Short mmCIF file of all heavy atoms in Angstrom, two decimals:
data_model
loop_
_atom_site.label_atom_id
_atom_site.label_comp_id
_atom_site.label_asym_id
_atom_site.label_seq_id
_atom_site.Cartn_x
_atom_site.Cartn_y
_atom_site.Cartn_z
N THR T 317 -130.47 -17.98 174.86
CA THR T 317 -130.15 -19.34 175.33
C THR T 317 -131.42 -20.12 175.44
O THR T 317 -132.56 -19.50 175.58
CB THR T 317 -129.47 -19.28 176.72
OG1 THR T 317 -130.27 -18.57 177.62
CG2 THR T 317 -128.08 -18.62 176.62
N ALA T 318 -131.38 -21.40 175.41
CA ALA T 318 -132.59 -22.27 175.47
C ALA T 318 -132.46 -23.20 176.59
O ALA T 318 -131.34 -23.62 176.95
CB ALA T 318 -132.82 -22.99 174.14
N SER T 319 -133.54 -23.65 177.19
CA SER T 319 -133.57 -24.66 178.21
C SER T 319 -134.88 -25.42 178.14
O SER T 319 -135.83 -24.92 177.52
CB SER T 319 -133.38 -24.05 179.58
OG SER T 319 -134.44 -23.14 179.87
N LEU T 320 -134.88 -26.61 178.72
CA LEU T 320 -136.14 -27.38 178.76
C LEU T 320 -136.79 -27.12 180.10
O LEU T 320 -136.21 -27.23 181.14
CB LEU T 320 -135.82 -28.86 178.67
CG LEU T 320 -135.55 -29.42 177.25
CD1 LEU T 320 -135.23 -30.90 177.38
CD2 LEU T 320 -136.80 -29.18 176.38
N TYR T 381 -131.21 -24.29 168.12
CA TYR T 381 -131.38 -25.34 169.12
C TYR T 381 -132.29 -26.42 168.49
O TYR T 381 -133.26 -26.09 167.86
CB TYR T 381 -132.01 -24.81 170.39
CG TYR T 381 -131.11 -23.91 171.20
CD1 TYR T 381 -131.07 -22.59 170.99
CD2 TYR T 381 -130.24 -24.48 172.15
CE1 TYR T 381 -130.21 -21.75 171.72
CE2 TYR T 381 -129.39 -23.66 172.84
CZ TYR T 381 -129.35 -22.34 172.63
OH TYR T 381 -128.51 -21.58 173.35
N THR T 382 -131.91 -27.66 168.68
CA THR T 382 -132.78 -28.75 168.21
C THR T 382 -133.40 -29.46 169.38
O THR T 382 -132.74 -29.84 170.32
CB THR T 382 -131.97 -29.75 167.35
OG1 THR T 382 -131.62 -29.12 166.10
CG2 THR T 382 -132.79 -30.98 167.06
N ASN T 388 -134.19 -34.49 173.77
CA ASN T 388 -133.02 -33.76 174.25
C ASN T 388 -133.03 -32.36 173.65
O ASN T 388 -133.58 -32.15 172.58
CB ASN T 388 -131.73 -34.39 173.86
CG ASN T 388 -131.58 -35.77 174.49
OD1 ASN T 388 -131.46 -35.90 175.67
ND2 ASN T 388 -131.55 -36.80 173.68
N LEU T 389 -132.36 -31.44 174.31
CA LEU T 389 -132.21 -30.10 173.71
C LEU T 389 -130.72 -29.91 173.37
O LEU T 389 -129.88 -29.97 174.22
CB LEU T 389 -132.67 -29.03 174.68
CG LEU T 389 -132.81 -27.61 174.08
CD1 LEU T 389 -133.78 -27.60 172.95
CD2 LEU T 389 -133.21 -26.63 175.17
N PHE T 390 -130.49 -29.72 172.05
CA PHE T 390 -129.08 -29.66 171.58
C PHE T 390 -128.81 -28.25 170.99
O PHE T 390 -129.57 -27.75 170.22
CB PHE T 390 -128.83 -30.64 170.45
CG PHE T 390 -128.91 -32.07 170.84
CD1 PHE T 390 -129.64 -32.98 170.11
CD2 PHE T 390 -128.22 -32.53 171.97
CE1 PHE T 390 -129.72 -34.30 170.41
CE2 PHE T 390 -128.25 -33.91 172.32
CZ PHE T 390 -129.05 -34.79 171.58
N ALA T 391 -127.66 -27.67 171.33
CA ALA T 391 -127.22 -26.44 170.68
C ALA T 391 -126.27 -26.75 169.50
O ALA T 391 -126.11 -25.92 168.59
CB ALA T 391 -126.55 -25.55 171.67
N ASP T 392 -125.63 -27.89 169.53
CA ASP T 392 -124.60 -28.15 168.52
C ASP T 392 -124.74 -29.53 167.89
O ASP T 392 -123.80 -30.06 167.31
CB ASP T 392 -123.21 -28.01 169.17
CG ASP T 392 -122.99 -28.84 170.41
OD1 ASP T 392 -123.96 -29.55 170.77
OD2 ASP T 392 -121.86 -28.83 170.95
N VAL T 393 -125.96 -30.10 167.96
CA VAL T 393 -126.21 -31.36 167.32
C VAL T 393 -127.58 -31.16 166.58
O VAL T 393 -128.57 -30.74 167.24
CB VAL T 393 -126.36 -32.54 168.30
CG1 VAL T 393 -126.69 -33.85 167.53
CG2 VAL T 393 -125.07 -32.67 169.11
N GLY T 414 -124.71 -33.14 178.36
CA GLY T 414 -124.30 -31.91 177.72
C GLY T 414 -123.65 -30.97 178.70
O GLY T 414 -123.92 -31.04 179.91
N GLY T 415 -122.81 -30.11 178.18
CA GLY T 415 -122.23 -29.08 179.01
C GLY T 415 -123.13 -27.87 179.07
O GLY T 415 -124.28 -27.93 178.77
N GLN T 416 -122.48 -26.75 179.37
CA GLN T 416 -123.26 -25.50 179.46
C GLN T 416 -123.94 -25.14 178.18
O GLN T 416 -123.40 -25.32 177.12
CB GLN T 416 -122.31 -24.38 179.81
CG GLN T 416 -122.61 -23.77 181.18
CD GLN T 416 -121.72 -22.62 181.50
OE1 GLN T 416 -120.73 -22.36 180.78
NE2 GLN T 416 -122.02 -21.90 182.59
N GLY T 417 -125.18 -24.68 178.27
CA GLY T 417 -125.88 -24.25 177.13
C GLY T 417 -126.24 -25.37 176.18
O GLY T 417 -126.30 -25.15 174.95
N CYS T 418 -126.44 -26.62 176.65
CA CYS T 418 -126.79 -27.75 175.82
C CYS T 418 -125.76 -28.08 174.78
O CYS T 418 -126.05 -28.58 173.70
CB CYS T 418 -128.15 -27.52 175.11
SG CYS T 418 -129.43 -26.95 176.21
N GLN T 419 -124.51 -27.86 175.07
CA GLN T 419 -123.39 -28.18 174.15
C GLN T 419 -122.96 -29.59 174.40
O GLN T 419 -122.54 -29.91 175.56
CB GLN T 419 -122.19 -27.27 174.38
CG GLN T 419 -122.51 -25.76 174.29
CD GLN T 419 -122.48 -25.26 172.86
OE1 GLN T 419 -121.85 -25.89 172.01
NE2 GLN T 419 -123.18 -24.19 172.63
N PHE T 420 -122.95 -30.39 173.36
CA PHE T 420 -122.44 -31.80 173.48
C PHE T 420 -121.08 -32.01 172.85
O PHE T 420 -120.49 -33.06 173.01
CB PHE T 420 -123.44 -32.76 172.90
CG PHE T 420 -124.65 -32.99 173.87
CD1 PHE T 420 -125.60 -32.04 174.07
CD2 PHE T 420 -124.74 -34.15 174.59
CE1 PHE T 420 -126.61 -32.19 174.96
CE2 PHE T 420 -125.80 -34.35 175.50
CZ PHE T 420 -126.69 -33.31 175.66
N GLN T 421 -120.62 -31.02 172.10
CA GLN T 421 -119.30 -31.05 171.48
C GLN T 421 -119.00 -32.39 170.78
O GLN T 421 -118.03 -33.05 171.01
CB GLN T 421 -118.23 -30.83 172.54
CG GLN T 421 -118.39 -29.45 173.19
CD GLN T 421 -117.21 -29.12 174.13
OE1 GLN T 421 -117.01 -29.81 175.12
NE2 GLN T 421 -116.42 -28.19 173.73
#
Side-chain angles (χ1 to χ4, degrees):
T317 54
S319 60
L320 279 178
Y381 289 92
T382 290
N388 294 295
L389 190 60
F390 294 132
D392 55 358
V393 180
Q416 244 183 351
C418 311
Q419 303 277 337
F420 282 73
Q421 299 188 294

